[in-house]
Amino acid sequence: MLIKFYIKPRKGVLDPQGRAVAENLRSLGFDSVKDVKVGKYIEVYVDETDREKAVEMAKDMAKKALVNEIIEDYQFEVVEE
């Protein structure tokens, strides 16, 4: 199975990279760009056939290793290959 993690800064957390991207886009004429959040996309391939176990593994991975829950929000999806 494949677990896809989508991680981004929480609302209200300073995101200097997102700010730089937003300013660059506006300088290129994309005047309607209001804000940009730059995050992480992570793919984890696991040798697991039970979807519920994969979901629990994903939650555990996020909490223990992949996400700083103080400053980041995340979502994940489990995809059968």
Side-chain angles (χ1 to χ4, degrees):
M1 289 194 169
L2 166 62
I3 305 170
K4 298 179 180 182
F5 291 90
Y6 306 93
I7 304 164
K8 67 178 184 173
R10 285 184 181 244
K11 202 174 215 171
V13 172
L14 182 62
D15 181 7
Q17 190 175 10
R19 187 177 199 179
V21 170
E23 288 175 10
N24 187 45
L25 289 171
R26 285 191 288 268
S27 76
L28 293 170
F30 298 100
D31 299 326
S32 63
V33 172
K34 182 178 175 183
D35 194 16
V36 174
K37 293 290 184 192
V38 175
K40 300 179 275 189
Y41 170 72
I42 301 170
E43 290 185 348
V44 178
Y45 296 85
V46 296
D47 189 17
E48 182 58 66
T49 56
D50 184 324
R51 184 176 187 76
E52 287 183 30
K53 285 184 183 177
V55 167
E56 289 307 311
M57 286 174 61
K59 290 177 184 176
D60 207 26
M61 288 177 196
K63 290 181 187 296
K64 290 182 177 178
L66 302 177
V67 179
N68 180 343
E69 292 187 282
I70 295 171
I71 61 170
E72 295 174 320
D73 287 324
Y74 74 98
Q75 295 178 307
F76 67 86
E77 62 180 306
V78 177
V79 181
E80 293 183 33
E81 296 184 287

